[in-house]
Amino acid sequence: LNNEYLVGGEPLAIPGTLLVTAVAVMPDADKAVSMDLKEAGNFIYMVGITKHELGGSEYLRSLGLIGQSVPKVDAELGKDVFAGLCDAADQRLVRAMHDCSEGGLAVALAEMAFAGNLGLSAQLEEVPAEGHDLSVPALLFSESQSRLIVEVAPDKQTAFEAVLSKAAAPFAVIGQVEAAPRLTITHKGDTVIDSDLATLKTAWKQPLSKI
């Protein structure tokens, strides 16, 4: 795999790297779930556990730092999360779903909003987390593994939560879809992000314009 990215404004090519791709068969393609937000008023869930794992994250890289607490895969937890969400999707209980990877929760929420051209409000204190003292940056930008953001309609909420509980997957409602194209994230009543989608999308696309 040939890949190139910017370091200090200069292009840097990585060495040749083996790429392994896993492919599965979906018996009913109509049950595929996309990442774009679908309808204002729907609930936004976080499924999985956020930990203080900012090491190697995009957040620390933007500050010129590396960090030490890199994300570690919990195979047992990951299996519960994905099994529960697979069952929920199979029962058509999920409207949208997106993983938390590069950039963490904040970027995942913004990407879902961009894709659906709908706004989103979220409360960080509701995020399922390891411990109760995670900082706002950790809640926003930790890249902990096996976490997904899920949109669920109000009439499917009870059934969705029952499926996830049966799978022993940790989850919580952290927000809802809004009609106005704006991303608002708060923490215990304090606003930490409040921006229109156009401004955020311009910043999100900016690195591509430099290549």
Side-chain angles (χ1 to χ4, degrees), residues 114 195 197-210:
F114 298 158
S195 178
L197 296 188
T199 299
L200 293 174
K201 194 168 186 178
T202 297
W204 178 70
K205 293 170 64 176
Q206 187 175 8
L208 295 176
S209 67
K210 296 180 181 179

Side-chain angles (χ1 to χ4, degrees), residues 71-84:
K72 298 178 178 63
V73 176
D74 182 331
E76 185 174 348
L77 172 64
K79 182 179 179 181
D80 292 340
V81 167
F82 289 111

